[in-house]
Amino acid sequence: MANTEQVVAEATGSDQYLTFQVLGERYAVNILDIKEIIEVTQMTRVPMALAAVRGVMNLRGNVAPVIDLAQRFHETPTELDRRTVILVVQIEVEGEWQVMGMLAQEVNEIVEIQADQFQPAPEFGAGIRQSFIRHMAQLDGRFIVLLDLARVLSVSELSVHLGDDDRSSERMPAE
């Protein structure tokens, strides 16, 4: 009988992924994790929130936080232009589903990635925290970082308010 890793590899053998840009780098998430892609809308800044929390938006009558991926990965805010989008995802937080938006520079395409194209996250040199990376994949001679949404959108990390403890200056760059 096949072991669990083999079964998982076979089950994800031809998944489709949405690729997008953040500060010129190519990232991807499983297409099934994306609920919709919307134009950047009015966002309301949340006082004392971490800089990566760009604000909250009204999504059909519900409040949804918007996380700026560039700020989360590199402490550099996304410059909004006509190609900037919000990728709406739904993640499970403590047994409940929460809708969140991820601000990205632009959407590229949907790609199919075979299981044999997956590689483990490098120990260093990927440009973002290793814990944010689920896998790497090589496609058309370029690497794509497949994000671990549970870690990138960690509610426990993102819900910390500035000033809650003495380490607040470590989280937000000085202006």
Side-chain angles (χ1 to χ4, degrees), residues 35-49:
K35 299 303 172 200
E36 61 186 302
I37 301 168
I38 61 175
E39 291 179 14
V40 174
T41 183
Q42 179 66 36
M43 291 177 274
T44 303
R45 184 82 177 124
V46 178
M48 296 184 65

Side-chain angles (χ1 to χ4, degrees), residues 74-89:
H74 304 288
E75 297 185 355
T76 302
T78 298
E79 290 186 31
L80 303 180
D81 63 26
R82 61 181 179 77
R83 294 183 315 232
T84 309
V85 295
I86 297 173
L87 307 171
V88 178
V89 297

Side-chain angles (χ1 to χ4, degrees), residues 63-135:
V63 175
V66 177
I67 308 307
D68 185 339
L69 294 178
Q71 186 75 48
R72 182 85 166 123
F73 299 162
H74 304 288
E75 297 185 355
T76 302
T78 298
E79 290 186 31
L80 303 180
D81 63 26
R82 61 181 179 77
R83 294 183 315 232
T84 309
V85 295
I86 297 173
L87 307 171
V88 178
V89 297
Q90 190 173 22
I91 62 168
E92 190 172 359
V93 179
E94 297 176 3
E96 292 188 26
W97 290 99
Q98 181 164 350
V99 174
M100 300 179 85
M102 300 187 306
L103 194 62
Q105 217 171 6
E106 67 181 86
V107 170
N108 295 121
E109 61 185 336
I110 296 172
V111 296
E112 195 166 295
I113 303 174
Q114 303 296 324
D116 62 357
Q117 293 173 292
F118 290 126
Q119 298 179 17
E123 294 292 322
F124 60 90
I128 65 171
R129 267 181 22 193
Q130 183 183 13
S131 65
F132 290 167
I133 303 172
R134 174 165 282 153
H135 298 290

Side-chain angles (χ1 to χ4, degrees), residues 7-20:
V7 172
V8 170
E10 290 170 7
T12 61
S14 64
D15 281 349
Q16 292 185 324
Y17 292 83
L18 177 73
T19 63
F20 53 91

